[in-house]
Amino acid sequence: MKIGLDLGSTAIKAVFVDGEELIWRGLAPTAPGQGAIAARLIEEGRQALNLSSVAGVRLASTGYGRNLFQAAEVIVDEISANARGLFHLSGGRARTVINIGGQDVKVLILDEKGRVTDFRMNDKCAAGTGRFFELAARILDTPLESFGELASRAQEEVELNSTCVVFAESEIVSLLSRGIARESVIKALNASVARRVAGLLGRDLGGPVWLDGGPAQNLGLVEALENELMAEVRVLEAAQYTVAYGAALSAASR
Ligand code: ADP
């Protein structure tokens, strides 16, 4: 048994892994006192799995706040953890990985052994990240969990042109006040994020793209990204936990 912790900019994720099997996962929003939040998640996992104690269980932490969990014996950078976790869960098939997080977007190019051969990141602009979706969800008063389904019911073709979150916010408000349906605004949002994310990737992808991070759970975004890249986009069921899973694998191998 080992534990992987991903202290991300927006969500703290914990996984318990038995052998190579992900047997428990949980998350909590990132807030001050990240170490204590992580400890609570681990305790939740311990109880759910009926373990008498986690003393002696190997634990690795990663992510933006990876140094904030004092009890971690292994600390890994999130690029390595992401590559390792996703490559493993993809059965060694992933070569191009896009991770959309709360505050950044990363592109990882892997070789046939899962080693990172190229890496790109956009952390300068929030318009292509999870934070943008959260902001839009608030303006639209609609849970993010329903963005995929709602986008599939869009009737009108509208576009969001703003290249900055601040302007996009007023653009959304103005579309709504023109009577454009929420479904169509959400579809436009997915397309606008997909455009921005695709801008980080070159052409000639040579195979499917594996998308992970929280926003990968939005099927509308996945579809928009497929249209933008003209390539297949694959999403694993545990898309938000691939980085924590990768950390757990590192915990075991030291
Ligand atoms: P980080 O590691 O940077 O904290 P995550 O990979 O955990 O980021 O992703 C967080 C983002 O995931 C949130 O900002 C939100 O936009 C998005 N998200 C979380 N859950 C869902 C969901 N069910 N559907 C769509 N998007 C989601």
Side-chain angles (χ1 to χ4, degrees), residues 131-250:
R131 228 356 106 75
F132 182 34
F133 277 119
E134 286 182 30
L135 185 92
R138 270 201 295 278
I139 302 172
L140 294 162
D141 196 19
T142 303
L144 264 177
E145 290 73 18
S146 59
F147 268 37
E149 207 255 311
L150 287 174
S152 72
R153 289 201 255 130
Q155 304 281 347
E156 302 125 304
E157 281 296 328
V158 284
E159 237 184 86
L160 272 178
N161 297 308
S162 303
T163 49
C164 167
V165 169
V166 181
F167 297 122
E169 183 177 358
S170 47
E171 212 182 340
I172 294 171
V173 173
S174 119
L175 286 173
L176 292 173
S177 66
R178 272 171 40 206
I180 303 289
R182 188 172 63 148
E183 287 79 357
S184 307
V185 174
I186 291 172
K187 187 172 182 194
L189 257 163
N190 287 338
S192 119
V193 171
R195 257 197 319 277
R196 210 155 288 280
V197 170
L200 262 189
L201 273 177
R203 297 263 155 228
D204 303 325
L205 291 170
V209 169
W210 296 75
L211 182 67
D212 66 1
Q217 298 167 96
N218 170 357
L219 284 181
L221 174 65
V222 175
E223 198 177 299
L225 201 54
E226 289 195 317
N227 290 336
E228 198 61 46
L229 295 170
M230 290 192 287
E232 185 192 345
V233 174
R234 294 191 186 168
V235 180
L236 294 160
E237 199 264 321
Q240 200 170 2
Y241 294 88
T242 49
V243 181
Y245 177 78
L249 296 185
S250 303

Side-chain angles (χ1 to χ4, degrees), residues 2 58 74 84 247-254:
K2 52 251 176 194
R58 310 213 68 176
V74 179
R84 190 166 194 164
L249 296 185
S250 303
S253 64
R254 304 280 167 116

Side-chain angles (χ1 to χ4, degrees), residues 1 5 31 73 76 78 83 85 117 212 241:
M1 180 86 71
L5 264 185
E73 45 178 327
V76 269
E78 59 213 272
T117 58
D212 66 1
Y241 294 88

